[in-house]
Amino acid sequence: MVSQEDKLRKIIDLGYEISQIKDIDLLLEKILHEARGFTNCDAGSIYVREGEQLVFRYAQNDTIQKQLAPGRKLPYSTFSIPISNTSIAGHVALNGSILNISDVYNVGNQYPFLFNRSYDDLTGYRTCSMLTIPLKNFRGDVIGILQLINAKSNTGDTVPFAHEDEDIILYFANNAASTIERAKMTREIILRMNKMAELRDPKETGPHVNRVAAYAVALYEAWAFKHNISQPEIDRNRDVLRMSAMLHDVGKVAISDNILKKPGKFTPEEFQVMKLHTLYGANLFADINSDFDESAALVTFSHHERWDGNGYPGYIDPLTQKALPGYEKEDGTAMGKRGEDIPFYGRIVALADVYDALSCKRCYKEAWNENEVLENIRGEAGRQFDPELVGIFLENIDTFRQIEKHYPDQSE
Ligand code: C2E
Ligand code: SIN
Ligand code: SIN
Ligand code: FE
Ligand code: FE
């Protein structure tokens, strides 16, 4: 038998480990997994509060998972339930206290809700014991619900959840809630940074960043499929890449209007100034706190490198704007990065960005027609672009056409 003291120590260790995770989906997965391990239960789900709704975000179910082919996902869809007494999760969110039910099919008259059997009816699963825990932030607001299902005895029978575990699991839940809230805040701030860039340059930024992000994710997914990358890894990378790609040009907020919005060709001096947007962008994410910061720093920094080494800003320190020792060209500027020395996400966004810039009208150029665009990109394989990515791009051109239709440019 594990003592309560050992359990408490374990929970405190977990709190630390979980606070190190910044990506919100990974975080939910980990919280649920640890809470289930701790209470030894068969299944569970997490709901996140959005306004007056609980949005179902994540589920695990060992029994059903074992019946699926390897790698297949549970048959869950996205749905939300109101914060009200009509469901167990809604009731706990409304009241803010933990609820320990030994058999959800027999809750009796003491509670206002009935257990919703539709998922059991769909899958043949029998939900019995259930521990439903409010996830409260430091202000005491319920930001989500953790629902643990079918505790197991040592012999594998379904049993009620132990009452003496409730305090410890609540402690764990409160830590988890603070961490979820921090991850959500990070995401909010990123989206606001993007809004700021859009305010600065409303005609070109909004649809451009959405398209570039969608192109980049489509390229990555097609690449990942070819390379047999596992679905969980793809799911993890997709969001980080999408947000990083949306911010690829965020450094342009530091470029003055007379350059940023010049209705015509740059002089060489103006172009030198514009090139600094890669360094300004990288500096915004210089404190690497999460996968996201790291990826955003790489993308803003390296989306104008060229496969053949003739891009910018190259091997340079983004803070001092000086070439790294050993990488100075004769004129003192930095040598460009080349081939696979260019971060992978930078190579992806480089292709997505140019495809979009050529296809659209800009304040300094007309839109090219599709033949001209594809001709250019094909010709730049192994010169401007990673040749493998160009191949994948051309094979999936229909996907890119659809994305383009989905985010049209705003008319003036
Ligand atoms: P952007 O508009 O997002 O363009 C991204 C990239 O698409 C460009 O990076 C370039 O690689 C490619 N691209 C865009 N238009 C053309 C084109 O007509 N021909 C070719 N071959 N490639 C093209 P680049 O050149 O490093 O420029 C970075 C950013 O600087 C551009 O972002 C844009 O905001 C600005 N910019 C570049 N040249 C000019 C210019 O002559 N006038 C003005 N006003 N802005 C410019
Ligand atoms: C509820 O908490 O009653 C809704 C979720 C479920 O049916 O398991
Ligand atoms: C990566 O997924 O970052 C590595 C792939 C590559 O460099 O081609
Ligand atoms: Fe750029
Ligand atoms: Fe761009």
Side-chain angles (χ1 to χ4, degrees):
M1 207 52 215
V2 190
S3 74
Q4 288 300 102
E5 202 181 315
D6 286 345
K7 283 187 173 178
L8 189 57
R9 196 168 314 114
K10 175 127 197 290
I11 282 285
I12 289 169
D13 290 347
L14 284 177
Y16 175 74
E17 199 184 317
I18 282 185
S19 72
Q20 301 302 101
I21 303 177
K22 301 295 191 313
D23 179 82
I24 192 153
D25 291 301
L26 259 186
L27 192 62
L28 296 177
E29 178 180 344
K30 181 88 175 166
I31 288 170
L32 185 54
H33 187 260
E34 297 301 350
R36 285 184 48 226
F38 177 69
T39 52
N40 191 29
C41 68
D42 189 47
S45 11
I46 287 195
Y47 299 80
V48 173
R49 180 185 193 139
E50 283 178 20
E52 289 312 300
Q53 299 280 317
L54 288 176
V55 180
F56 176 85
R57 277 297 289 275
Y58 200 82
Q60 293 165 356
N61 185 311
D62 285 350
T63 298
I64 298 179
Q65 191 69 55
K66 277 187 204 119
Q67 297 161 3
L68 297 174
R72 284 290 308 280
K73 284 191 190 171
L74 293 174
Y76 283 97
S77 53
T78 44
F79 65 92
S80 49
I81 50 182
I83 296 183
S84 73
N85 282 323
T86 51
S87 69
I88 299 171
H91 175 80
V92 168
L94 193 62
N95 293 281
S97 34
I98 191 166
L99 187 60
N100 191 347
I101 299 174
S102 45
D103 182 358
V104 292
Y105 282 40
N106 298 297
V107 286
N109 295 331
Q110 55 174 324
Y111 294 118
F113 47 77
L114 274 180
F115 174 66
N116 173 1
R117 294 193 192 187
S118 53
Y119 186 76
D120 280 10
D121 291 343
L122 184 75
T123 57
Y125 189 74
R126 169 64 162 93
T127 303
C128 188
S129 60
M130 184 182 274
L131 186 62
T132 307
I133 305 126
L135 296 169
K136 288 187 188 170
N137 66 13
F138 57 91
R139 284 189 305 275
D141 306 326
V142 176
I143 65 151
I145 291 291
L146 176 62
Q147 203 160 51
L148 303 175
I149 294 166
N150 288 355
K152 296 281 170 201
S153 69
N154 292 340
T155 51
D157 300 317
T158 300
V159 292
F161 285 87
H163 281 289
E164 63 266 26
D165 284 349
E166 289 176 19
D167 283 343
I168 294 178
I169 200 90
L170 268 173
Y171 174 85
F172 169 80
N174 289 341
N175 270 342
S178 305
T179 312
I180 291 174
E181 188 143 276
R182 242 187 302 130
K184 278 167 85 172
M185 244 158 12
T186 308
R187 185 172 291 205
E188 280 296 305
I189 286 177
I190 288 156
L191 295 176
R192 280 178 205 164
M193 278 171 75
N194 203 41
K195 275 263 179 299
M196 207 166 68
E198 205 176 317
L199 285 175
R200 189 68 210 294
D201 189 10
K203 264 215 300 257
E204 295 191 350
T205 304
H208 173 56
V209 299
N210 284 317
R211 284 190 303 259
V212 171
Y215 295 147
V217 168
L219 268 174
Y220 170 71
E221 287 186 311
W223 175 90
F225 183 75
K226 278 205 157 161
H227 289 256
N228 293 315
I229 307 296
S230 73
Q231 195 61 44
E233 188 178 339
I234 295 175
D235 293 344
R236 259 202 305 280
N237 291 335
R238 188 193 289 116
D239 263 18
V240 167
L241 174 59
R242 188 190 313 280
M243 288 207 285
S244 309
M246 281 179 85
L247 291 166
H248 73 278
D249 274 338
V250 74
K252 284 184 184 174
V253 297
I255 306 292
S256 67
D257 265 358
N258 57 343
I259 294 182
L260 184 69
K261 298 179 181 171
K262 180 179 179 180
K265 279 239 151 280
F266 279 160
T267 65
E269 293 74 27
E270 288 166 338
F271 192 41
Q272 288 312 313
V273 174
M274 176 53 98
K275 284 179 174 178
L276 296 173
H277 80 280
T278 53
L279 307 184
Y280 297 147
N283 286 337
L284 283 173
F285 306 102
D287 303 318
I288 307 249
N289 290 313
S290 69
D291 284 359
F292 167 75
D293 293 292
E294 183 174 13
S295 162
L298 291 176
V299 166
T300 50
F301 197 36
S302 58
H303 72 279
H304 288 294
E305 300 289 354
R306 293 173 50 109
W307 184 260
D308 61 14
N310 292 318
Y312 64 88
Y315 291 95
I316 193 168
D317 177 337
L319 276 172
T320 62
Q321 306 186 3
K322 291 233 170 19
L324 299 183
Y327 292 99
E328 298 100 344
K329 290 193 285 199
E330 275 165 19
D331 62 0
T333 62
M335 286 164 61
K337 292 184 181 161
R338 184 193 296 265
E340 295 196 350
D341 286 348
I342 306 166
F344 184 49
Y345 288 174
R347 285 180 263 149
I348 289 181
V349 172
L351 178 52
D353 184 31
V354 174
Y355 172 65
D356 193 62
L358 297 181
S359 307
C360 299
K361 182 181 175 321
R362 287 277 200 271
C363 64
Y364 63 97
K365 62 172 276 293
E366 287 306 315
W368 297 16
N369 72 40
E370 192 185 279
N371 276 341
E372 293 170 327
V373 175
L374 296 186
E375 195 60 25
N376 174 283
I377 287 179
R378 200 177 284 118
E380 293 292 340
R383 294 148 64 96
Q384 189 169 2
F385 306 121
D386 178 339
E388 185 189 3
L389 290 177
V390 171
I392 290 171
F393 167 79
L394 295 170
E395 285 161 27
N396 293 278
I397 185 64
D398 267 342
T399 309
F400 293 85
R401 289 191 185 115
Q402 275 171 22
I403 294 170
E404 195 168 349
K405 280 211 207 83
H406 193 80
Y407 299 104
D409 264 321
Q410 291 138 341
S411 52
E412 346 219 318

